């Protein structure tokens, strides 16, 4: 997986680590308690009910869940935000290639096919490189409109934190910002038939 190259993906990485930390703490605590239950001989013959402990072990998980839910919802809304895009790219999924249109310019459109292994140059990336790459400016808000002509596809670039379903007859849009120059790879992320694995995005 490539490192994050957009502020949103960075935030998603932080959120992943934050959630994993909470999960680790819960696992250690529950594991410790289970271990103690297995290996000690203590018993309390007069314990009929424990209201206090039951309140604690009901309220505490609810509070912990809020520590996951609030950052998660914040990110969910941030990812849907559209901030005055400088450039719009339209991406159309076909079986089994992508075609692109730069909507701000007249007649700027092209198809993007995977380069077959036998035609690949020695420094190319097998099953990831394409004949026509998408070129986008960094440090600019970019809007991408995604649709398909035949079946469901999904336009996905992990390092930009972008994954949009391409649905025939529907136009989905997402906004992102690239904060460093580079070459970013993605693939179709919706099973779309025989050559689903062979329609990369660069």
């Amino acid at each position: 997986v490539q490192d994050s190259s957009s502020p949103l993906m960075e935030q998603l990485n932080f959120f992943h680590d934050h959630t994993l930390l909470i999960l680790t703490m819960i696992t250690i605590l529950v594991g410790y308690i289970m271990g103690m239950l297995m290996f000690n001989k203590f018993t309390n013959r007069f314990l009929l009910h424990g209201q206090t402990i039951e309140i604690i072990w009901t309220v505490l998980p609810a509070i912990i869940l809020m520590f996951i839910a609030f950052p998660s919802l914040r990110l969910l809304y941030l990812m849907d935000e559209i901030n005055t895009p400088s450039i719009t790219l339209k991406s159309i999924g076909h079986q089994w290639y992508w075609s692109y249109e730069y909507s701000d310019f007249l007649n700027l459109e092209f198809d993007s096919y995977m380069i077959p292994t036998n035609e690949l140059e020695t420094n190319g990336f097998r099953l990831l490189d394409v004949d026509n790459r998408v070129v986008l400016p960094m440090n600019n808000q970019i809007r991408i409109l995604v649709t398909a002509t035949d079946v469901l596809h999904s336009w996905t670039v992990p390092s930009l934190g972008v994954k949009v379903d391409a649905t025939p007859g529907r136009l989905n849009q997402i906004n992102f910002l690239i904060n460093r120059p580079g070459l970013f790879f993605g693939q179709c992320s919706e099973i779309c038939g025989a050559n689903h694995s062979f329609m990369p995005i660069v």
Side-chain angles (χ1 to χ4, degrees):
V1 178
Q2 292 182 295
D3 289 338
S4 74
S5 307
S6 86
L8 263 179
M9 191 58 204
E10 226 160 89
Q11 289 289 312
L12 283 167
N13 276 335
F14 289 143
F15 174 66
H16 169 267
D17 297 346
H18 164 82
T19 311
L20 210 62
L21 194 70
I22 292 174
L23 281 176
T24 309
M25 281 157 48
I26 292 170
T27 310
I28 289 169
L29 180 69
V30 172
Y32 172 75
I33 291 169
M34 283 173 72
M36 293 304 287
L37 281 172
M38 301 274 197
F39 297 115
N40 72 35
K41 302 274 192 295
F42 297 136
T43 179
N44 182 351
R45 294 183 299 137
F46 306 109
L47 184 64
L48 296 173
H49 64 84
Q51 298 253 268
T52 319
I53 189 72
E54 286 188 11
I55 288 170
I56 291 169
W57 74 41
T58 305
V59 170
L60 199 66
I63 292 169
I64 291 171
L65 281 176
M66 282 160 68
F67 272 96
I68 297 174
F70 286 132
S72 169
L73 286 168
R74 172 181 160 269
L75 269 174
L76 203 61
Y77 280 99
L78 273 176
M79 287 170 75
D80 260 347
E81 197 71 50
I82 302 290
N83 314 305
T84 348
S86 319
I87 188 169
T88 300
L89 173 73
K90 187 177 182 187
S91 167
I92 304 156
H94 307 266
Q95 284 177 310
W96 286 277
Y97 65 96
W98 295 98
S99 61
Y100 297 99
E101 297 171 8
Y102 286 83
S103 321
D104 306 292
F105 308 98
L106 292 170
N107 301 329
L108 183 46
E109 46 189 75
F110 56 89
D111 296 337
S112 179
Y113 288 88
M114 185 190 79
I115 301 174
T117 307
N118 57 346
E119 295 172 19
L120 202 59
E121 292 178 22
T122 42
N123 60 353
F125 293 91
R126 195 179 81 88
L127 302 186
L128 276 180
D129 239 328
V130 294
D131 55 0
N132 292 314
R133 294 170 172 174
V134 175
V135 180
L136 291 169
M138 64 177 258
N139 291 331
N140 275 286
Q141 292 292 341
I142 296 155
R143 168 174 53 193
I144 177 148
L145 304 172
V146 184
T147 185
T149 52
D150 35 46
V151 296
L152 289 177
H153 299 281
S154 183
W155 199 87
T156 305
V157 182
S159 58
L160 300 177
V162 177
K163 178 178 278 189
V164 200
D165 278 357
T167 313
R170 186 188 168 96
L171 208 55
N172 289 328
Q173 79 170 350
I174 199 161
N175 197 75
F176 61 90
L177 179 138
I178 305 169
N179 61 8
R180 63 197 183 102
L183 204 54
F184 309 116
F185 294 93
Q187 286 170 304
C188 176
S189 300
E190 191 71 70
I191 305 288
C192 59
N195 292 337
H196 160 65
S197 315
F198 309 116
M199 45 183 299
I201 297 149
V202 187

